[in-house]
Amino acid sequence: MSQMTNEINYNVHCNDQTGSQLNDEGNGVGMVLKKGPWTAAEDVLLVNYVQKHGEGNWNAVQKYSGLSRCGKSCRLRWANHLRPNLKKGAFTAEEERMIAELHAKMGNKWARMAAHLHGRTDNEIKNYWNTRMKRRQRAGLPLYPPEVLLQAFQERKHGQGTGEISNGDGGHHDFLKKNNYEIHDAIFDSLKENQGILPFLPDLPAISANSFLPNCLGSPPYCNFLPSTLPNHDHFQESTMSFIGSSELNSNEFYPFDRIKDNNSDKISESFGLYSPLDRGASSHGSICYSHSLSNGNSSTSKLISEAAKSELPSLQIPETEFGCWGTSPPPPLNESLDVFIHSPQPPNALDSGSSPLNSGLLDALLYQANTLGCSKNNSSDKSLNSSIATPGDRAESSALNMYETEWEDYADPLSPFGATSILNEHPVVSTNGNSWDDWELFQTFSGNNERLQSVDQVWAPKSGNQSMSLLNLTLPDVLITSDWHELYSDHDSMNQAVMTEASDDISGQ
DNA sequence: AATGTCGGCAACCGCCCCACG
DNA sequence: TCGTGGGGCGGTTGCCGACAT
């Protein structure tokens, strides 16, 4: 920045309490304190002061160093720019990953996050996160890197592999413990508290997503759609949402938030801090994280959800739900995005079942949706769904991490060939299906096996035009709906259906 | 070349907590 | 117990450069 050359002097009083205190203590009442960018000379004065007197007692800086800065300003300048061992420059991939994990864990606790990132300041992390968040919001991408999600899977699987069944108390907290991170308990506590309020909050989960994802995503059909390398977990999320939603859209029996706006709706929305008109648009854009962020325009996870009028709900902090057929009620449309999942109260019959995937978050939504499809195909699909863990999924998980690290950001990068922004900008769409170009791009890019998909497509061709169109609306990127892409890739829906069906088959087969 | 827009970042602001007298 | 000082923290603002038009 050009602070060294910029000699702006605001010449205003430091109007916080420290400044006023300083005025009394230091150079006298009415001392005019400088604001604005620091000059090199000021830096030298501050450094000299700290070298002589050490850190702390910042209000004395003015007194002993001659700086016309309030103590707080001096402290910030020292902490953020002058103190030794500060690491400057761009964040490394590892740092970015840590930030994401830490943010998933603790929300906007920048200082605490900085404690985990040696040489980085809270301000730096905060700025990074905010800009990154905005960038990803624009791109319609989730805030959290896929490896964080993947880590969740692995943690959950590990727990399950040892006979542990995720439950409401522990299941959601486990996945970051590998790094000594822990999902903010308050998030889940709040959700629990809201169980009596929110009709769609289930008894906390009895089955881990882990039991499903490795199977489904590792299965051959998913190796196509979500290849074993899973090069982009953003896509993983969004694509998941896409093909999940595809299975049910044709039913026209989903339950958008504003359609089931019962007495609890307001409370629900308030609870999640999502009561914003923006959410509709955000939801329509197809990313839960994106939507969450948009809900307040400036995300904050530092608050409890229950009080989070300003809060962002990290995607990872969405509770897992019970995994099962969940009655016979038509599921809500996943294409409404996870925001709707969070927003939407249950349809009445779903409420009767006592649990719902609506609040389950992405993974559980996937679980639910796939299983629902499985139920539709096979009414006896109440088999145990967590009885085994498929090794293909393991492969997918292990191999994915390496690739995500770089490709995730590349994909998120609007300038990237995989970036969504440029495409979306080029093809402004009015979509209500919550899908993005990313889904299709991912599919096209990483499936790498169109032949196989084609064969699957042949097997699971849409049964009706309506279904086909519905599926298309859900599964194709928005751009396809409003452009010639539609024709070009109009069979994508059937592929998705095939994938989804295979997923349910896998589940049922377990 | 001029202008507008956007992103990144430093700095500020206001609130809060804690220690101490 | 209360007031005050010191400091920390999260949110916000505003500047500047890069880029697009």
Side-chain angles (χ1 to χ4, degrees), chain A residues 228-406:
Chain A
S228 61
T229 53
L230 286 175
N232 187 309
H233 276 231
D234 289 343
H235 290 295
F236 170 51
Q237 280 195 320
E238 296 189 353
S239 299
T240 299
M241 295 304 296
S242 299
F243 76 80
I244 289 170
S246 67
S247 68
E248 296 294 338
L249 180 64
N250 57 319
S251 68
N252 288 327
E253 293 184 80
F254 49 79
Y255 297 86
F257 177 58
D258 54 358
R259 178 175 165 182
I260 315 292
K261 187 172 180 62
D262 60 15
N263 292 335
N264 287 329
S265 296
D266 291 345
K267 191 172 294 184
I268 295 165
S269 300
E270 291 170 3
S271 296
F272 289 98
L274 295 169
Y275 208 60
S276 166
L278 286 174
D279 282 340
R280 299 296 301 172
S283 297
S284 68
H285 207 61
S287 167
I288 176 173
C289 301
Y290 173 72
S291 305
H292 288 161
S293 301
L294 278 182
S295 66
N296 55 26
N298 187 9
S299 74
S300 170
T301 53
S302 61
K303 303 298 184 184
L304 303 184
I305 290 178
S306 58
E307 62 183 49
K310 294 165 55 179
S311 285
E312 160 200 352
L313 178 65
S315 60
L316 296 174
Q317 297 172 346
I318 300 166
E320 183 180 19
T321 190
E322 190 174 83
F323 184 46
C325 280
W326 189 50
T328 58
S329 62
L334 290 169
N335 56 303
E336 288 285 325
S337 89
L338 261 294
D339 265 357
V340 179
F341 265 61
I342 296 172
H343 286 207
S344 302
Q346 282 295 308
N349 50 354
L351 296 179
D352 295 342
S353 70
S355 67
S356 164
L358 287 180
N359 65 323
S360 64
L362 204 52
L363 300 181
D364 298 295
L366 174 61
L367 298 178
Y368 164 75
Q369 190 72 15
N371 192 51
T372 299
L373 184 58
C375 291
S376 67
K377 284 189 63 183
N378 181 1
N379 289 334
S380 64
S381 63
D382 57 349
K383 301 173 183 178
S384 173
L385 296 172
N386 61 345
S387 59
S388 67
I389 299 169
T391 53
D394 298 342
R395 291 198 306 269
E397 292 173 6
S398 59
S399 60
L401 276 175
N402 292 334
M403 296 190 64
Y404 296 156
E405 195 71 46
T406 54

Side-chain angles (χ1 to χ4, degrees), chain A residues 462-473:
Chain A
K463 295 183 176 68
S464 67
N466 285 342
Q467 183 184 36
S468 176
M469 192 59 215
S470 298
L471 291 171
L472 179 66
N473 288 341

Side-chain angles (χ1 to χ4, degrees), chain A residues 30-94:
Chain A
M31 170 69 186
V32 175
L33 298 175
K34 184 182 176 183
K35 293 174 63 177
W38 281 68
T39 65
E42 288 177 314
D43 285 341
V44 170
L45 289 175
L46 182 57
V47 169
N48 288 338
Y49 168 84
V50 174
Q51 286 175 347
K52 287 181 181 179
H53 302 91
E55 298 183 43
N57 198 14
W58 293 107
N59 286 332
V61 175
Q62 187 188 35
K63 181 177 181 179
Y64 295 109
S65 70
L67 274 172
S68 297
R69 296 275 185 172
C70 66
K72 179 179 284 189
S73 181
C74 293
R75 183 181 64 82
L76 287 174
R77 181 64 183 174
W78 173 260
N80 291 335
H81 299 282
L82 300 178
R83 70 180 164 92
N85 301 323
L86 274 180
K87 188 188 291 184
K88 292 293 185 179
F91 285 93
T92 65
E94 173 65 15

Side-chain angles (χ1 to χ4, degrees), chain A residues 432-448:
Chain A
T432 58
N433 60 31
N435 290 307
S436 70
W437 165 256
D438 298 352
D439 303 326
W440 183 244
E441 186 74 14
L442 169 70
F443 166 68
Q444 287 288 345
T445 303
F446 296 111
S447 63

Side-chain angles (χ1 to χ4, degrees), chain A residues 47-231:
Chain A
V47 169
N48 288 338
Y49 168 84
V50 174
Q51 286 175 347
K52 287 181 181 179
H53 302 91
E55 298 183 43
N57 198 14
W58 293 107
N59 286 332
V61 175
Q62 187 188 35
K63 181 177 181 179
Y64 295 109
S65 70
L67 274 172
S68 297
R69 296 275 185 172
C70 66
K72 179 179 284 189
S73 181
C74 293
R75 183 181 64 82
L76 287 174
R77 181 64 183 174
W78 173 260
N80 291 335
H81 299 282
L82 300 178
R83 70 180 164 92
N85 301 323
L86 274 180
K87 188 188 291 184
K88 292 293 185 179
F91 285 93
T92 65
E94 173 65 15
E95 286 174 324
E96 292 176 355
R97 185 189 63 80
M98 281 195 67
I99 290 171
E101 290 183 3
L102 290 166
H103 192 271
K105 170 202 169 192
M106 46 179 83
N108 295 356
K109 300 299 181 184
W110 311 117
R112 288 173 58 194
M113 294 165 69
H116 292 78
L117 293 166
H118 187 69
R120 300 296 187 178
T121 68
D122 55 350
N123 204 43
E124 200 173 6
I125 296 170
K126 177 175 59 181
N127 285 332
Y128 162 76
W129 183 261
N130 287 337
T131 56
R132 170 186 175 278
M133 185 184 65
K134 284 190 288 186
R135 189 167 61 239
R136 297 190 66 78
Q137 283 177 351
R138 285 193 301 273
L141 296 172
L143 288 177
Y144 294 101
E147 56 265 27
V148 174
L149 295 175
L150 202 57
Q151 189 174 354
F153 303 160
Q154 291 171 330
E155 293 292 334
R156 300 277 284 284
K157 183 176 70 177
H158 177 73
Q160 191 173 45
T162 58
E164 172 186 333
I165 300 296
S166 299
N167 55 44
D169 291 330
H172 294 286
H173 305 241
D174 291 338
F175 75 90
L176 288 175
K177 284 183 177 177
K178 180 180 293 182
N179 290 344
N180 296 323
Y181 304 147
E182 202 169 347
I183 292 295
H184 204 278
D185 287 348
I187 298 295
F188 301 102
D189 292 343
S190 174
L191 291 173
K192 287 185 192 176
E193 291 171 2
N194 281 323
Q195 279 190 283
I197 299 172
L198 309 179
F200 55 85
L201 276 176
D203 294 334
L204 287 163
I207 286 183
S208 169
N210 256 19
S211 62
F212 169 82
L213 287 168
N215 294 330
C216 295
L217 301 181
S219 302
Y222 301 93
C223 292
N224 292 331
F225 187 72
L226 297 170
S228 61
T229 53
L230 286 175

